[in-house]
Amino acid sequence: MKIFAIGMNYAAHNKELHDTLLKTEKPVIFTKADSALLKPGKPFFVPDHWGRIDYEAEVVVRICRLGKNISQRFAHRYYDAVTVGIDFTARDLQREASQNGQPWTICKGFDGSAAIGEWVDIAKFRNVQALHFHLDKNGETVQEGCTSDMFYSVDEIIAYISQFFTLKTGDLLYTGTPAGVGPVQIGDHLDGWLEDRKVLDLNCK
């Protein structure tokens, strides 16, 4: 199983972190190790020696068939379910890596950094590019987004990634986070919502 993730795919998030609303020339792709996937029902253990750890709520897509060099017009055939996940990010380590021109492998791909919610069949929704989602921290909404605001659509991302990687059944695609990212602390409780469905329920320890 491979975990792909997209950086800088929402204008307002780019503004809050990078002080720009501009769309990147190509999708910004990074990967997480398979050991980053947090097992269902397990808490997220906040590392206590890496500085600030941020939540980043995202719509996650599940790949359902083998594909390579997929045309954008056929990309919708390659995923069957969506949910809300959290791309936990060691923010201080990310800033250090970015300043030194280094990759994000450690700050994004550490063990447990990919939380995942309950899967919902894509057929339940009219349009994957019109999904509203939000994240609550301790009962208060801290992030809200809609996939219509993505710079690069799910189908565009799949077509792009499949030029370089063979997609396989069970691969995951984190599609980018909207504005509102922030730190987590021990004792925080996170709830992820996809439309009116609570799909993610997570404790931080």
Side-chain angles (χ1 to χ4, degrees):
M1 182 200 69
K2 301 183 290 299
I3 303 173
F4 298 100
I6 311 303
M8 301 177 67
N9 204 25
Y10 285 82
H13 174 60
N14 295 354
K15 180 68 175 178
E16 71 179 351
L17 283 192
H18 307 289
D19 199 31
T20 179
L21 294 170
L22 295 178
K23 179 180 179 179
T24 56
E25 184 178 349
K26 297 177 181 179
V28 176
I29 309 294
F30 61 93
T31 60
K32 289 174 174 277
D34 57 3
S35 59
L37 190 63
L38 194 61
K39 294 181 179 179
K42 296 295 184 181
F44 172 69
F45 289 96
V46 183
D48 60 1
H49 56 291
W50 295 346
R52 174 170 161 165
I53 307 295
D54 279 4
Y55 57 79
E56 296 190 8
E58 313 194 6
V59 168
V60 184
V61 173
R62 183 177 69 191
I63 301 300
C64 64
R65 61 191 295 187
L66 185 73
K68 175 72 174 175
N69 291 321
I70 300 165
S71 169
Q72 184 179 327
R73 64 179 177 145
F74 296 128
H76 66 278
R77 300 178 180 177
Y78 288 82
Y79 53 94
D80 64 351
V82 293
T83 190
V84 171
I86 300 176
D87 165 25
F88 286 106
T89 302
R91 191 67 71 200
D92 292 341
L93 294 183
Q94 185 188 35
R95 290 195 182 100
E96 181 181 342
S98 296
Q99 289 169 1
N100 295 326
Q102 297 173 345
W104 292 353
T105 306
I106 293 175
C107 64
K108 288 283 194 178
F110 60 90
D111 288 355
S113 62
I116 201 79
E118 176 186 348
W119 292 108
V120 182
D121 192 318
I122 198 70
K124 299 288 185 182
F125 306 105
R126 280 188 175 184
N127 184 356
V128 72
Q129 292 305 144
L131 296 177
H132 292 85
F133 62 103
H134 69 271
L135 181 73
D136 294 350
K137 184 174 83 166
N138 303 326
E140 179 181 352
T141 299
V142 290
Q143 274 190 286
E144 294 182 88
C146 182
T147 53
S148 62
D149 294 328
M150 292 165 55
F151 279 139
Y152 294 100
S153 69
V154 173
D155 291 356
E156 287 178 301
I157 295 165
I158 287 175
Y160 182 75
I161 290 176
S162 69
Q163 296 177 50
F164 308 98
F165 300 93
T166 298
L167 297 180
K168 296 183 177 182
T169 300
D171 286 350
L172 305 181
L173 173 60
Y174 282 67
T175 59
T177 194
V181 302
V184 290
Q185 309 290 340
I186 293 173
D188 283 344
H189 183 81
L190 302 172
D191 293 316
W193 295 76
L194 187 61
E195 296 291 351
D196 59 352
R197 303 166 186 256
K198 185 167 84 167
V199 294
L200 179 66
D201 189 319
L202 182 63
N203 291 307
C204 297
K205 293 187 176 180

